[in-house]
């Protein structure tokens, strides 16, 4: 008796189509295109998880820089002064301070100006 394994193949295909649901055109319902699209998406997801960290750091630095420039100081001078003051705040927290607690951020800038 011959065994063809159609049920396994159908399950494999169905599983892929469930994952690629919402993709554009043939990328959602043609097995070969769906598989190619899925593998490409996995690759991009891996790369973008790494990129995300860079992108957020850039955003935080831009926010801090803008807030410090409004106080008449440059970003690099500010960060160097914080290092000399031994203020161990990461850029994310400095950025949040600059946005949500402006008075506390201004105090930090004043302390940094005193160090100059």
């Amino acid at each position: 008796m011959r065994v063809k394994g159609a049920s396994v193949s159908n399950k494999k295909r169905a599983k892929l189509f469930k994952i690629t649901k919402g993709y554009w055109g043939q990328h959602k319902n043609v097995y070969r295109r769906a598989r190619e699209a899925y593998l490409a998406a996995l690759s991009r997801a891996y790369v973008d998880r790494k990129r995300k960290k860079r992108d957020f750091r850039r955003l935080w630095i831009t926010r801090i820089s803008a807030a410090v420039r409004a106080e008449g100081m440059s970003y690099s001078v500010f960060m160097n002064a914080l290092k000399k003051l031994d203020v161990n705040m990461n850029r994310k927290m400095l950025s949040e301070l600059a946005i949500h607690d402006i008075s506390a951020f201004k105090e930090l800038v004043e302390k940094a100006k005193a160090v100059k």
Side-chain angles (χ1 to χ4, degrees):
M1 188 164 111
R2 189 166 140 231
V3 177
K4 294 190 278 185
S7 63
V8 176
S9 297
N10 287 338
K11 281 180 188 171
K12 185 173 82 169
R13 255 183 258 113
K15 182 179 171 185
L16 179 68
F17 292 147
K18 186 175 181 184
I19 292 168
T20 59
K21 183 179 178 194
Y23 285 21
W24 185 82
Q26 288 186 348
H27 294 203
K28 68 176 163 282
N29 57 7
V30 174
Y31 182 74
R32 183 179 289 181
R33 298 295 165 265
R35 189 164 169 274
E36 289 168 355
Y38 174 62
L39 292 176
L42 284 178
S43 173
R44 289 187 200 106
Y46 175 80
V47 169
D48 287 343
R49 279 195 300 275
K50 309 299 172 210
R51 251 209 100 74
K52 183 180 179 183
K53 294 160 185 63
R54 286 179 248 163
D55 291 343
F56 269 107
R57 185 179 169 96
R58 268 179 75 184
L59 174 68
W60 299 328
I61 289 171
T62 304
R63 285 176 176 172
I64 295 166
S65 180
V68 169
R69 283 203 182 277
E71 299 298 317
M73 199 175 195
S74 76
Y75 171 79
S76 58
V77 171
F78 175 68
M79 293 306 284
N80 187 38
L82 288 185
K83 197 170 278 190
K84 286 179 182 173
L85 284 170
D86 200 32
V87 175
N88 296 321
M89 282 185 81
N90 61 23
R91 284 159 181 80
K92 180 181 179 181
M93 290 301 113
L94 285 170
S95 164
E96 290 296 315
L97 264 183
I99 294 167
H100 300 295
D101 193 359
I102 298 162
S103 58
F105 188 78
K106 283 184 180 181
E107 283 180 37
L108 269 177
V109 173
E110 293 306 318
K111 286 183 182 177
K113 281 182 180 177
V115 168
K116 261 188 184 179

